[in-house]
Amino acid sequence: MDMATARATKILPEQVAAESGVTGVGRRLNVGVMGAGRIATLVHLGNIIGHRRLNLKWITEDDPQRVPVVKDLFGLQNTPFFTSSDLPELLSSKDLDAVFIFTPTGTHCSLVCQSLSKGKAVFVEKPAGVNLEEIRSCYEHSEKFGKPLITGFNKRFDSPYQNVVSAVHNNEVGDIQMIRLTSRDSPKPSYDFLASIDTTGCGILTDVTVHDIDMMVWITKAERPESIYVITHAHDKKMAEFGEADTMVAVVKYKCGIIVTLDTSRYAAYGYDMRMEVFGSDGLAAVNNPHVSPHVIAGVGGETLTRLNESFPQRFRESYANEMDHFIDCVNGKAKPLITKEESVMTAEIIEKGLESFRLKRPVYF
């Protein structure tokens, strides 16, 4: 078994791993990348360039100032860069297998549907669209043209989160009573990014908490909630000036009795803080924070730990690599997408109800 197969087997749930059947590297996939901005350069481009099963054919980037920066950063002097106006011709290439979409969210749906209609498999950073209608359209195109679509909810591919979800689905904690999800970012993104992330006024929900909502949907097997109540505040004066919250708590209630709390902050001074707890009638399953180093220094005065990871590229380094392997296996027909249409649509529906609660400042019912 090669290393890629071993990793895929490790990170996929039992039912998906059993279907993957990867036996070798095989032909390298020819891929294109759309967008060379923040998430592409922090995480994805390095994984794509260094992956032995991928052959990067081109990158599109509409900001001419980004092109020389990205070329120098990754040593891509021989990789052609284009603009989005060149996409119709680029996507018509018969030897192109798949595309990665890392452009602003408002462009995702159009690019996803255009790529799928040209017979290309698609990996798109979350979310696949700006609303429920767009996300449903993306998955309908995937079904119509028979090509896989993977949305980048990377926590799905992190071993601690997977182990907890597996335990819950195997009834190891009994009937779920409460779920608690915590996301506290580090370092705080730039104000330019925070001011432009979306136009809803609740980017903290659509950009950060959306990952935890995806986990909630996965745990509950896409059950529809009964209600959601979103409460926000801007402690940062600059963020208050451009109308974006830096702190949020959401409470979600299910008809079966499950109560979920999601607390999110744009900045934690002590490091990147990501936790999850599922409390049930028979026990508890939890994901706690890894530290930069597992060593502990203990003495009569107490114990000293290293700090938490600085940010998401460090904390989820392995999950991003696992996510990439899974997409490749789906393109090669060796696995089925772990993130389904039903789950993505439910996550989008919950986000829309959450935004409605944010605007109305009261609980909203489904």
Side-chain angles (χ1 to χ4, degrees):
M1 181 181 292
D2 63 26
M3 290 303 294
T5 304
R7 187 193 299 169
T9 303
K10 175 185 175 184
I11 63 100
L12 295 177
E14 295 82 359
Q15 69 272 25
V16 180
E19 295 170 357
S20 63
V22 183
T23 57
V25 174
R27 180 180 68 84
R28 297 176 73 192
L29 299 178
N30 293 320
V31 301
V33 168
M34 303 179 196
R38 179 174 180 261
I39 190 64
T41 54
L42 284 176
V43 174
H44 294 301
L45 271 177
N47 286 337
I48 293 169
I49 294 164
H51 205 295
R52 61 177 179 165
R53 293 200 283 169
L54 296 178
N55 178 33
L56 178 60
K57 299 286 287 185
W58 47 259
I59 297 174
T60 62
E61 173 54 54
D62 287 342
D63 181 356
Q65 295 182 348
R66 290 288 301 168
V67 175
V69 173
V70 175
K71 281 190 173 186
D72 290 342
L73 184 63
F74 294 98
L76 296 176
Q77 279 68 29
N78 295 324
T79 300
F81 278 68
F82 300 92
T83 66
S84 57
S85 62
D86 298 304
L87 281 172
E89 182 177 353
L90 293 171
L91 292 173
S92 296
S93 174
K94 292 183 178 180
D95 71 347
L96 185 71
D97 299 296
V99 296
F100 294 89
I101 299 175
F102 309 130
T103 55
T105 301
T107 67
H108 284 183
C109 180
S110 173
L111 295 175
V112 167
C113 293
Q114 184 181 356
S115 301
L116 290 168
S117 67
K118 293 293 186 178
K120 314 306 177 187
V122 173
F123 178 97
V124 60
E125 254 305 330
K126 59 78 189 167
V130 297
N131 54 43
L132 177 61
E133 182 180 352
E134 284 194 356
I135 290 171
R136 183 179 284 116
S137 176
C138 288
Y139 280 92
E140 288 173 350
H141 274 70
S142 174
E143 293 171 342
K144 178 179 179 181
F145 294 99
K147 292 296 178 180
L149 167 63
I150 298 292
T151 303
F153 289 114
N154 68 287
K155 284 185 178 180
R156 295 268 190 136
F157 302 91
D158 180 70
S159 296
Y161 281 93
Q162 288 189 326
N163 291 338
V164 166
V165 174
S166 178
V168 173
H169 287 174
N170 288 333
N171 202 37
E172 294 180 35
V173 301
D175 296 329
I176 304 172
Q177 297 178 359
M178 292 189 292
I179 303 173
R180 184 177 66 190
L181 294 136
T182 295
S183 290
R184 297 171 187 167
D185 207 356
S186 170
K188 181 179 289 184
S190 71
Y191 289 117
D192 288 342
F193 174 81
L194 293 171
S196 64
I197 191 64
D198 72 12
T199 59
T200 65
C202 197
I204 193 170
L205 172 66
T206 61
D207 181 53
V208 183
T209 312
V210 62
H211 282 286
D212 289 332
I213 290 175
D214 171 67
M215 295 306 302
M216 180 180 77
V217 168
W218 194 22
I219 291 169
T220 60
K221 299 181 179 180
E223 182 177 345
R224 176 172 280 101
E226 179 181 67
S227 64
I228 183 171
Y229 185 23
V230 172
I231 306 168
T232 66
H233 186 76
H235 295 274
D236 185 311
K237 292 181 180 179
K238 287 188 177 180
M239 293 186 68
E241 289 175 1
F242 56 75
E244 271 291 340
D246 59 20
T247 308
M248 189 201 84
V249 172
V251 179
V252 179
K253 172 73 184 304
Y254 286 84
K255 290 182 180 179
C256 65
I258 298 173
I259 298 173
V260 184
T261 58
L262 306 106
D263 69 276
T264 309
S265 174
R266 276 295 187 181
Y267 176 60
Y270 52 88
Y272 191 66
D273 184 0
M274 297 285 135
R275 287 171 280 140
M276 180 172 76
E277 178 182 287
V278 183
F279 175 77
S281 58
D282 295 336
L284 168 75
V287 176
N288 294 316
N289 283 310
H291 291 254
V292 171
S293 172
H295 78 268
V296 177
I297 299 174
V300 294
E303 293 185 345
T304 302
L305 303 173
T306 57
R307 67 175 276 127
L308 303 182
N309 286 280
E310 178 65 19
S311 191
F312 67 91
Q314 294 79 38
R315 167 61 181 87
F316 291 112
R317 181 182 292 110
E318 183 179 355
S319 75
Y320 282 116
N322 293 336
E323 180 182 61
M324 191 75 63
D325 283 341
H326 178 61
F327 176 61
I328 295 168
D329 288 343
C330 289
V331 176
N332 285 329
K334 304 295 185 179
K336 294 180 180 179
L338 177 58
I339 303 159
T340 67
K341 172 186 176 181
E342 292 72 22
E343 291 168 334
S344 293
V345 167
M346 180 52 62
T347 295
E349 183 178 349
I350 294 170
I351 289 290
E352 289 203 350
K353 291 293 185 180
L355 290 173
E356 183 179 351
S357 173
F358 165 75
R359 290 191 297 268
L360 297 176
K361 301 184 185 302
R362 62 169 175 80
V364 168
Y365 290 81
F366 286 72

